[in-house]
Amino acid sequence: MSQKNENNKPLNAAVDKQLFWGAASLIAILIVVMVVFEESMGGVLQNIFNFMTDQLGWVYIWGALIVTAVIAWLSFGKYKDVKFGGPDAIKEFNTFSWLAMFFCSGIGTSLLAWASKEWYYYYVSPPLGVEALTTEAAEVASAYPLFHWGIIGWAIYCIMAFPIGYAYWNRGADSMRFSTACSGVIGEKNAKGLLGKFIDFLLIFGLLGANATSLGSGTPMLAESVSRLLNVPHTFTVDIWVVVIWTALFTTSVTLGLKKGIKMLSDINIILVLALCSFVFIVGPTFFMINNFTNSMGYMTTNFFRMAFYTDAIGGSMFPQWWTVFYWAWYFAYAPYMGIFIARVSRGRTFREVGLGVLIGGSLGCALFFAILGNNALFNELSGTYAFIETAKTQGDFAAVVGSLMVLPGKQIILLIFVFIGFVYSATTIDSSAYCMATVASKDLKKGEEPTWWNRMFWALMLGTVALVVMNIGGLVPIKTASLVVAFPILFFVGVAVVSFKRWLDEDKPHLQVISEDYVKVDKMGK
Ligand code: NM2
């Protein structure tokens, strides 16, 4: 129950003026620059993109590898039994809700789009020296998406949960902030000062960039479905309408305090997503889906390290820079936000449960979508049922994504569900992102306090606006660059937080070992 004042309204926290206005003005300037210089922006962003991937790509690749190794160490090393909240902490959520919650907060509408079309990009320009449009190209194209949405990505998603959760649940920090997680290195004073504000600002900045990528890759698909449903041509205006409706949906829910409504919508959403996948699985090429998924898992696991370290420095195809680096950047951009989210729901779970649960649960959840939607589209292309590649080239990849589902029986129902899921999935993502940004931009929230409604609404509007501005420039490059740019400084401070976390563990070591051995003993005796 949240605390209420005499008017029976939740207590509203004041905004942190410095942080709020600092962030807001910087973002406003960026938006204005992108709109005014729209013509030349495409070229500028292309240059930034080339620089970030070509020159700095290895930073993201190594960052991702190190983060994965740290999670492996936390899950299997000597601290694996340490519990968030101490040895007696009780789990707040059952495992199913826990999995569903962090999965939905980290994954949005864009998964539906990427799951259906990612293979296409790799099939026409494959990695690892494979020849385009061959059998092996189809194999590598089916396997690579499982890698990009697999354990390394989820390791990046979950890394910040450790320093943030440990500081809050085990060391008594008063709030879950990116800056607090870094305090073991930068010191408490700096964490509460200007440097801390800058670090927290990075979370806001990261969410804006990451959401621009997510909305940018999900919106046109949704607009395409809406256009088909209403029988109108798909123009950029439809894209704008989709974002406007999202933002309106969200804004109403915030202003009217429809928290329950949003929760209910997202529950319905999960059921519908599962229903849609099951339906496509049954009416689509079921056996091909199972067989090719099995084959892809084999291909991906056998080539896992090759893919993880792949830079193609000699071949110079730029595949890893264009794709893998972009993906890791996208995850890093969301990392502080995901860390807070996972930390918040993981009280009472051990390091091992969190590490392995997030990596395995998240990867398998994503794999399910690729196995069904991706294989459906690939099968239709290979069997000649639907010319995916041709459509993608002539009418755009989003037309191909929706078209590949329209060859199935019950296509109108599929379209309707698809539209509903698309709207709700991203509305809930905007909701939690805006909430998180508003929390960061509030003065220390006390228990029962919520960020003021206009603070939350402002961030929701910003998310929508930035996404539209980026989409307006056109093409995949601006959408990818948004994440690449914001992720870079975040990556650095994720490193600071990890070092800070290691210091805390070393400091607490004598006490922790007793706790974790006791915990194991008590646990065994209890059985
Ligand atoms: N990631 C998981 O739009 C989305 O689905 C959000 C995408 C970073 C590739 C997450």
Side-chain angles (χ1 to χ4, degrees):
M1 269 296 278
S2 60
Q3 282 174 12
K4 309 270 167 92
N5 61 15
E6 63 280 9
N7 298 326
N8 210 25
K9 291 224 173 84
L11 297 169
N12 288 332
V15 294
D16 180 326
K17 290 204 181 92
Q18 252 175 338
L19 197 65
F20 183 88
W21 291 112
S25 10
L26 195 81
I27 290 153
I29 294 173
L30 276 178
I31 293 177
V32 172
V33 169
M34 287 210 275
V35 173
V36 175
F37 299 103
E38 191 201 320
E39 297 282 290
S40 46
M41 231 32 216
V44 173
L45 289 178
Q46 180 73 55
N47 286 338
I48 299 179
F49 178 84
N50 291 348
F51 178 72
M52 303 294 295
T53 53
D54 197 13
Q55 316 285 316
L56 299 176
W58 60 273
V59 179
Y60 299 88
I61 291 183
W62 276 104
L65 289 169
I66 294 169
V67 160
T68 313
V70 173
I71 301 285
W73 174 70
L74 287 169
S75 310
F76 295 104
K78 59 183 174 208
Y79 296 120
K80 65 181 191 309
D81 295 316
V82 176
K83 244 192 203 182
F84 284 109
D88 302 324
I90 296 171
K91 286 184 187 125
E92 213 173 319
F93 301 100
N94 67 45
T95 303
F96 181 80
S97 315
W98 178 69
L99 284 167
M101 276 191 295
F102 77 70
F103 190 79
C104 289
S105 78
I107 297 294
T109 311
S110 87
L111 175 62
L112 298 176
W114 287 109
S116 313
K117 70 175 187 172
E118 195 165 331
W119 64 270
Y120 148 71
Y121 292 101
Y122 308 163
Y123 184 48
V124 294
S125 356
L128 307 173
V130 174
E131 202 185 319
L133 304 170
T134 56
T135 305
E136 196 177 0
E139 287 192 333
V140 77
S142 309
Y144 238 104
L146 299 179
F147 171 71
H148 285 151
W149 295 76
I151 60 166
I152 296 186
W154 285 93
I156 303 173
Y157 258 9
C158 121
I159 187 74
M160 284 305 299
F162 289 91
I164 293 178
Y166 191 72
Y168 187 80
W169 296 120
N170 301 59
R171 287 179 66 101
D174 51 10
S175 61
M176 291 193 178
R177 281 179 178 262
F178 193 10
S179 54
T180 318
C182 298
S183 63
V185 171
I186 61 170
E188 297 267 334
K189 212 166 144 240
N190 281 329
K192 293 217 184 308
L194 214 60
L195 180 60
K197 290 215 163 104
F198 173 71
I199 298 175
D200 288 331
F201 161 73
L202 288 180
L203 178 145
I204 296 188
F205 195 50
L207 270 180
L208 277 170
N211 268 293
T213 312
S214 292
L215 295 181
S217 43
T219 309
M221 176 196 66
L222 188 53
E224 175 73 32
S225 321
V226 174
S227 308
R228 286 189 192 221
L229 204 62
L230 303 178
N231 230 341
V232 293
H234 175 190
T235 55
F236 189 60
T237 320
V238 186
D239 288 6
I240 297 181
W241 272 109
V242 167
V243 176
V244 169
I245 293 174
W246 260 330
T247 322
L249 211 72
F250 167 80
T251 314
T252 336
S253 86
V254 173
T255 353
L256 300 180
L258 297 178
K259 228 178 175 178
K260 279 211 183 103
I262 284 278
K263 169 90 181 58
M264 199 179 75
L265 272 183
S266 66
D267 286 350
I268 298 177
N269 195 42
I270 301 181
I271 297 170
L272 279 179
V273 167
L274 291 176
L276 178 77
C277 284
S278 320
F279 186 69
V280 176
F281 179 66
I282 294 165
V283 298
T286 313
F287 295 115
F288 178 78
M289 288 173 186
I290 301 173
N291 285 331
N292 198 37
F293 171 64
T294 311
N295 194 64
S296 309
M297 282 301 269
Y299 198 108
M300 192 269 286
T301 43
T302 332
N303 290 289
F304 182 82
F305 287 101
R306 174 95 173 95
M307 293 173 172
F309 286 88
Y310 186 47
T311 61
D312 208 14
I314 297 173
S317 67
M318 293 298 282
F319 180 94
Q321 287 73 15
W322 178 246
W323 289 106
T324 309
V325 167
F326 149 66
Y327 264 112
W328 296 167
W330 196 5
Y331 284 98
F332 268 114
Y334 272 119
Y337 153 81
M338 277 306 284
I340 293 180
F341 190 88
I342 297 176
R344 195 156 9 113
V345 296
S346 296
R347 187 174 179 211
R349 290 185 186 270
T350 62
F351 286 3
R352 166 177 268 195
E353 277 176 291
V354 174
L356 295 186
V358 172
L359 265 56
I360 297 173
S363 309
L364 287 182
C366 289
L368 182 79
F369 286 81
F370 284 90
I372 296 174
L373 298 177
N375 281 324
N376 172 58
L378 176 64
F379 179 84
N380 289 335
E381 168 69 35
L382 297 178
S383 64
T385 319
Y386 181 73
F388 192 103
I389 300 180
E390 188 55 33
T391 316
K393 283 189 175 149
T394 52
Q395 296 168 41
D397 49 7
F398 296 104
V401 166
V402 183
S404 70
L405 285 171
M406 293 301 96
V407 294
L408 296 170
K411 59 183 183 186
Q412 285 303 329
I413 300 176
I414 295 185
L415 201 58
L416 208 65
I417 299 183
F418 209 63
V419 168
F420 182 87
I421 295 175
F423 269 112
V424 177
Y425 223 155
S426 284
T428 50
T429 310
I430 299 180
D431 181 78
S432 38
S433 299
Y435 189 88
C436 188
M437 293 158 109
T439 310
V440 171
S442 298
K443 274 229 173 77
D444 285 330
L445 284 184
K446 315 250 162 8
K447 258 217 166 77
E449 271 188 341
E450 301 229 330
T452 32
W453 66 269
W454 61 264
N455 186 2
R456 292 174 65 185
M457 201 174 89
F458 174 79
W459 294 114
L461 286 173
M462 283 298 111
L463 288 171
T465 315
V466 170
L468 276 178
V469 169
V470 172
M471 278 159 62
N472 185 35
I473 299 167
L476 265 183
V477 169
I479 290 173
K480 288 182 168 188
T481 313
S483 279
L484 277 162
V485 172
V486 297
F488 198 75
I490 289 182
L491 209 150
F492 176 78
F493 284 101
V494 167
V496 173
V498 169
V499 175
S500 156
F501 177 51
K502 176 72 172 57
R503 281 196 190 164
W504 288 332
L505 287 177
D506 288 342
E507 232 173 79
D508 299 346
K509 193 168 161 189
H511 158 74
L512 268 182
Q513 267 176 343
V514 174
I515 289 177
S516 82
E517 274 159 24
D518 271 2
Y519 162 70
V520 175
K521 263 189 237 145
V522 170
D523 210 39
K524 280 194 180 135
M525 271 158 53
K527 277 182 191 150

